[in-house]
Amino acid sequence: MAELGRVAVRDPHSLLPGGFWAAVAVWVERPQVANKRLCGVRLEARRSACLPRVEHSGPRPSSGPEPEERAPAGCGPKEGPGHGQCFPEGGPGPRPGAVPEQGPQENQGRRQQGEDQREAAKAPLLSGARGQPGKAGAGEGDFPAPDLDSLWDDFSRSLASGNREMLAFFTRSGAESQLEAQHELDVILRTVIPKMNAHSCAPKREIVVQDVLNGTVIFLPLEEDSEGNLKVKTSNVYQIQLSQSEGEWFISVLIFCPERWHSDGIVYPKPTWLGEELLARLARWCVESRQSGFKSTLSLISIMKYSRVHQALKEKYKDMTKVWPEVTDPEKFVHEDVALAAYLLILWEEERAERGETARQCFVDLGCGNGLLVHILSREGHPGRGIDVRRRKVWDMYGPETHLEESAITPNDKTLFPDVDWLIGNHSDELTPWIPVIAARSSYNCRFFVLPCCFFDFVGKYQRRQSKKTQYRGYLDFITEVGTTCGFHVEEDCLRIPSTKRVCLIGKSRTYPPAGEDSVDERRTRYINSRRGGPVSPPGQVPAPRPPGAAGGADGPEGHGALDAGAGHTLESPAEGLWLSGFRPREKAKRVRNCAALPRDFIGRVVLQVANLLLGRKQSNVTSFQSRSATAWSQGGSLSLAEVAGELDRETLQKLKRECGGLQTLLRNSSQVFQVVNGRVRIRDWREERPRKEKEPEAKRRQFSETFKTRICWFFAHHPDGCVLPSDRCPFAHGPGELRPATTKKSEQPL
């Protein structure tokens, strides 16, 4: 055996050894966090076990299959301890700081001391009966889980029949230490699933053996023999271990048979990756005290099915990024909606299997935005439509089979969908808390899926009430509470999408029978009333008038979902059956408040004024490119945003305050001239910019080529020393003679 790497771990908050098992749980349950070529794992079964006693002589007590595989020649203990070398005969010996061999009473005390840690090591993993598949392994269909009991029993017999090298690799103290060999182990069977693409390999099964008392985790890859039976692949067995010496903690990675290690670059990485990348991540994870508070990704669906469907959809819709007509980033929005569609398709497929149905679910996407999710789901066979208050240009590209409606949505008796199976809220903003209510009141069989983003209550912004939670965690708990109050069993999952807000909430079933609808709806009404602080009427009844001085909602967060009580916007009359007075859907016309709509001469004047402040020169010194200083190029100093604001006149500051982000947004928008970092502003030195990558996404290459030399270089026109770059290296035009006409946008083509 060989030690691939060993690192010392600083533990200032006394998180070890518990933190070690938390880090191991990440690698066991979510290896894709470290190995980006993996899609995930399927935890299939677990059991408790003990290592067998070694048979020193005589025949085996009972007949049975021969050992699957002995340690090959050259594997196991060897001469020469040290980093990247092998250990002397007899195994690695007692771990540093370990207690020497003890009698039965002392050993029993050690076992009792390790019980809490053993339970902590088990906690993150699936629970289930001995040797039986847990929930995570159910429903995969095309990849049945083998029997963990028989696999472990066969492997144990191979150890007991004299495989001393492997037994020493397990015990860390030699096969003769029988008391050490008899303590309890936690044995897990998992399937490692690679990402499905042209270069991927087949999923691989592994047995993971956690020895809490000795601080080791051993990974036993499984392979099929010529008869199709699974056996341990000893050439790829490796171990992660925690040890302590003189008060200092160490984490090591060891390989049982380094000479025969086979790396496929995906499931079985190179030994250098295990000893460097993985070891460094484990060392960092084990002393991180912060808990995420969220579930692991894709915990409610089959990861294997998701990987296949997601890859197929990516190939099918990858050209969308080339013809995207919106100003939003096509790489983000297209890949996000493709991943969302893959998740929903698998979720609905498994739901049909559970219900014994064949008809595909129909849906309505409330606040559908660009409508791409509706387009993909419709093309994949699910009838549905999307509704949004504002039409997007990309809608015209989808074709007639994608049904999208431009309409405002107000929660009332008219916004019910009794014939729809699922309501979707994908970043639905002010509608997010209402979607469980609309689903519950539409029909008993209506379900919901929401992906919360901006924080809205039933009316206006959501106000955090629990300071011990993050605002995001508190808002997710609020939407969960809404769904539970509406009578749903609410489940939470984490999606794999390019977004910081990627936790979804799903209501698939009810907590009450159909006969209890009236009483549950009364509870919904009381709950909504408690959130609003005013009288609310049940559906179908005229709501009570608003009390004098009651707030009519507040402006939402800055961005695309903001509520606005602008002039000319009136509430619907109570006769229309509103469920809550004061709700306002977003306006059809999207207000631009990022300084982009400010007059050009105003922006230019502020930019020049700030540049003069930074250069320490008077206004008359920054005029035109006709006069140049003979001295070296001057970048000037840096100022805080507060210092810059203190030099601007009151009228300028008032105009900037009406924009989102104010002065900072204007300066960030003028990125050709300024850099704003940690609240301080300085003039950009283009010599410090990183060279462009040879392999960039096509969208970025296209954007750069379309904008090259289409604007005058500010430094050439205004800086007293001119532009710091020569003309051939500057992306902006040095004078009118270099100006190119801006590239017109491509005509929109139907998909």
Side-chain angles (χ1 to χ4, degrees), residues 511 516 673 692:
T511 59
V673 185
R692 298 183 62 82

Side-chain angles (χ1 to χ4, degrees), residues 4 12 24 66 72 157 212 217 272 278 405 422 477 525 540 707:
L4 298 178
V24 166
E66 291 299 319
R157 282 195 291 270
V212 176
V217 187
T272 53
L278 178 60
E405 302 174 12
W422 282 82
D477 292 345
T525 301
T707 59

Side-chain angles (χ1 to χ4, degrees), residues 64-331:
E66 291 299 319
E68 294 93 336
E69 189 175 353
R70 292 287 186 90
C75 298
K78 292 185 180 179
E79 295 292 334
H83 177 75
Q85 301 178 3
C86 301
F87 287 96
E89 185 67 23
R95 59 190 171 105
V99 181
E101 290 189 15
Q102 299 168 334
Q105 292 182 351
E106 290 85 352
N107 196 67
Q108 177 66 27
R110 287 186 63 198
R111 287 198 297 268
Q112 182 64 33
Q113 185 179 6
E115 280 300 319
D116 293 340
Q117 295 180 26
R118 186 177 296 111
E119 292 303 315
K122 293 180 181 180
L125 303 170
L126 83 160
S127 58
R130 177 180 181 268
Q132 298 303 315
K135 181 180 179 182
E140 298 288 347
D142 59 341
F143 210 75
D147 181 25
L148 176 58
D149 287 342
S150 61
L151 288 172
W152 178 255
D153 291 343
D154 290 345
F155 178 70
S156 296
R157 282 195 291 270
S158 74
L159 295 179
S161 62
N163 195 340
R164 293 173 178 267
E165 294 86 356
M166 180 65 76
L167 191 58
F169 192 67
F170 267 79
T171 61
R172 301 173 61 183
S173 56
E176 289 76 15
S177 180
Q178 289 300 302
L179 286 174
E180 288 291 326
Q182 291 303 305
H183 62 260
E184 185 177 299
L185 308 174
D186 189 33
V187 183
I188 302 157
L189 178 65
R190 71 173 186 169
T191 298
V192 183
I193 305 169
K195 287 184 176 178
M196 299 296 179
N197 54 49
H199 307 289
S200 65
C201 60
K204 307 289 186 182
R205 294 185 177 101
E206 286 183 341
I207 293 177
V208 183
V209 183
Q210 296 188 131
D211 184 346
V212 176
L213 195 62
N214 275 331
T216 63
V217 187
I218 297 178
F219 296 82
L220 305 173
L222 302 174
E223 63 179 353
E224 290 187 357
D225 59 17
S226 58
E227 299 178 355
N229 299 318
L230 289 174
K231 62 178 182 179
V232 173
K233 183 178 181 179
T234 56
S235 60
N236 279 31
V237 173
Y238 68 98
Q239 176 185 128
I240 302 170
Q241 66 176 223
L242 176 71
S243 58
Q244 190 176 26
S245 175
E246 298 179 356
E248 188 172 10
W249 291 99
F250 296 90
I251 298 180
S252 308
V253 176
L254 301 95
I255 285 184
F256 177 65
C257 191
E259 294 84 357
R260 297 186 59 196
W261 180 273
H262 168 70
S263 173
D264 59 15
I266 303 175
V267 176
Y268 305 131
K270 294 181 179 180
T272 53
W273 187 90
L274 291 173
E276 295 174 5
E277 294 288 333
L278 178 60
L279 187 59
R281 288 174 181 263
L282 291 170
R284 185 175 74 250
W285 293 342
C286 69
V287 292
E288 288 181 347
S289 59
R290 184 178 64 178
Q291 300 294 324
S292 69
F294 301 109
K295 287 190 174 183
S296 59
T297 58
L298 310 182
S299 62
L300 300 181
I301 64 171
S302 162
I303 296 178
M304 192 177 302
K305 292 178 182 177
Y306 173 84
S307 181
R308 286 197 298 262
V309 172
H310 184 228
Q311 183 61 32
L313 293 182
K314 281 172 64 178
E315 289 295 319
K316 191 172 183 178
Y317 298 99
K318 63 182 179 181
D319 290 338
M320 280 293 303
T321 59
K322 301 177 182 178
V323 294
W324 192 252
E326 305 289 341
V327 296
T328 52
D329 181 9
E331 296 288 338

Side-chain angles (χ1 to χ4, degrees), residues 512-540:
Y512 62 94
E517 176 62 34
D518 291 342
S519 61
V520 173
D521 196 57
E522 291 179 4
R523 185 178 67 194
R524 294 179 198 129
T525 301
R526 289 195 299 270
Y527 178 77
I528 297 172
N529 186 25
S530 70
R531 299 293 305 187
R532 176 65 176 86
V536 180
S537 297

